[in-house]
Amino acid sequence: MIAKTCILFCRCGANVISSSKTDQLADRFSKLDVDVFELKDLCAFSVREKDVLQTIGKNYTHKIVIACYPRAVKNMLRQGGVDLGRYEVLNFKELSVDEILEQLYGEFQLSAGEARYQVQVSDLDVPAWYPVIDESRCTLCGQCARFCLFGVYSYNKKALKVISPLACKNNCPACGRTCPTSAIMFPRLAEQSTLAGAEPGAESKSGAGKQSSLFVRLNERNQVRKNIFKQGVVQMAEEERRKALEQFRKSEGKTE
């Protein structure tokens, strides 16, 4: 028998929200009349335990994912080949505990009770740090693939893919900083930025009014290209890549 609704709660191993907020959410979810799957964590499950997510997707008609930015989560699941079916994402980076609960009680019509609470732990023994591609924004310029030194991507003029996600070096978002269209995201990045998955140009959409979507998109891309140079983002990316390469050499027992 297929159940109606469940919550998938990411207990992020990268601490993108405070541990106290995570604990508050877990406590409040435990007092809802719903099935709760606490995942440690969603990034890891998306590359290592996809079958667990697929099973949840099949067993429930409606899934509520409590995690980071919806753009990052949806593209991460797509990239991993995970089909959850119908689901919504509530962003615990931007929403408060009370705001999340208000939506669960109001929009999703959950009620108080005692949750059927399960904790699922990934067996992944390395940080699940890797880039996620937003295909709706990617222009196949290949800048990220050329900038990466660790074989994370495969690229030709017709396709860009993340083929070795776990080859990416922990806390190195360097390739994403060079993307002119903000198409590369790192869900485990502890920032509130487009690089972490926030919607590009979200702060200016309210003023877009009469402008066509194409004009807005082109304007966003031009602005990002300018910012790459104005804000020294390339230099930052090169420094992050250098540090990642040093760490890689140390782990391999190599020195210059």
Side-chain angles (χ1 to χ4, degrees), residues 90-128:
L90 296 184
N91 182 359
F92 58 23
K93 272 189 169 184
E94 293 188 339
L95 297 174
S96 69
V97 174
D98 287 340
E99 286 171 334
I100 290 172
L101 267 293
E102 285 175 9
Q103 289 198 40
L104 294 178
Y105 282 120
E107 180 179 348
F108 299 105
Q109 298 184 332
L110 299 184
S111 57
E114 184 176 351
R116 280 75 64 191
Y117 203 106
Q118 298 183 41
V119 177
Q120 302 269 359
V121 182
S122 170
D123 66 359
L124 189 65
D125 59 359
V126 297

Side-chain angles (χ1 to χ4, degrees), residues 59-210:
N59 289 340
Y60 294 86
T61 57
H62 190 198
K63 283 72 59 175
I64 307 168
V65 180
I66 314 294
C68 57
Y69 290 103
R71 186 171 76 102
V73 172
K74 291 177 181 181
N75 281 284
M76 178 176 68
L77 293 175
R78 175 200 52 75
Q79 180 171 289
V82 176
D83 182 8
L84 278 184
R86 180 187 175 193
Y87 70 97
E88 304 287 340
V89 181
L90 296 184
N91 182 359
F92 58 23
K93 272 189 169 184
E94 293 188 339
L95 297 174
S96 69
V97 174
D98 287 340
E99 286 171 334
I100 290 172
L101 267 293
E102 285 175 9
Q103 289 198 40
L104 294 178
Y105 282 120
E107 180 179 348
F108 299 105
Q109 298 184 332
L110 299 184
S111 57
E114 184 176 351
R116 280 75 64 191
Y117 203 106
Q118 298 183 41
V119 177
Q120 302 269 359
V121 182
S122 170
D123 66 359
L124 189 65
D125 59 359
V126 297
W129 173 278
Y130 53 87
V132 171
I133 302 169
D134 183 345
E135 291 184 345
S136 71
R137 300 191 67 86
C138 180
T139 60
L140 297 176
C141 70
Q143 177 65 27
C144 55
R146 288 190 293 270
F147 201 79
C148 177
L149 299 175
F150 306 106
V152 174
Y153 299 94
S154 69
Y155 168 70
N156 58 51
K157 292 183 179 180
K158 295 183 179 180
L160 172 72
K161 294 182 180 180
V162 174
I163 57 169
S164 299
L166 299 183
C168 190
K169 302 309 166 191
N170 193 35
N171 295 323
C172 176
C175 63
R177 295 199 192 278
T178 71
C179 178
T181 61
S182 300
I184 303 298
M185 300 168 285
F186 288 85
R188 295 171 75 88
L189 186 64
E191 293 181 4
Q192 289 186 317
S193 66
T194 56
L195 188 58
E199 289 290 341
E203 68 282 354
S204 62
K205 282 183 180 177
S206 60
K210 299 179 181 180

Side-chain angles (χ1 to χ4, degrees), residues 189 201 217 222 252:
L189 186 64
R217 179 63 60 84
N222 288 335
E252 294 292 309

Side-chain angles (χ1 to χ4, degrees), residues 201 203-216:
E203 68 282 354
S204 62
K205 282 183 180 177
S206 60
K210 299 179 181 180
Q211 297 177 352
S212 71
S213 59
L214 177 59
F215 177 81
V216 173

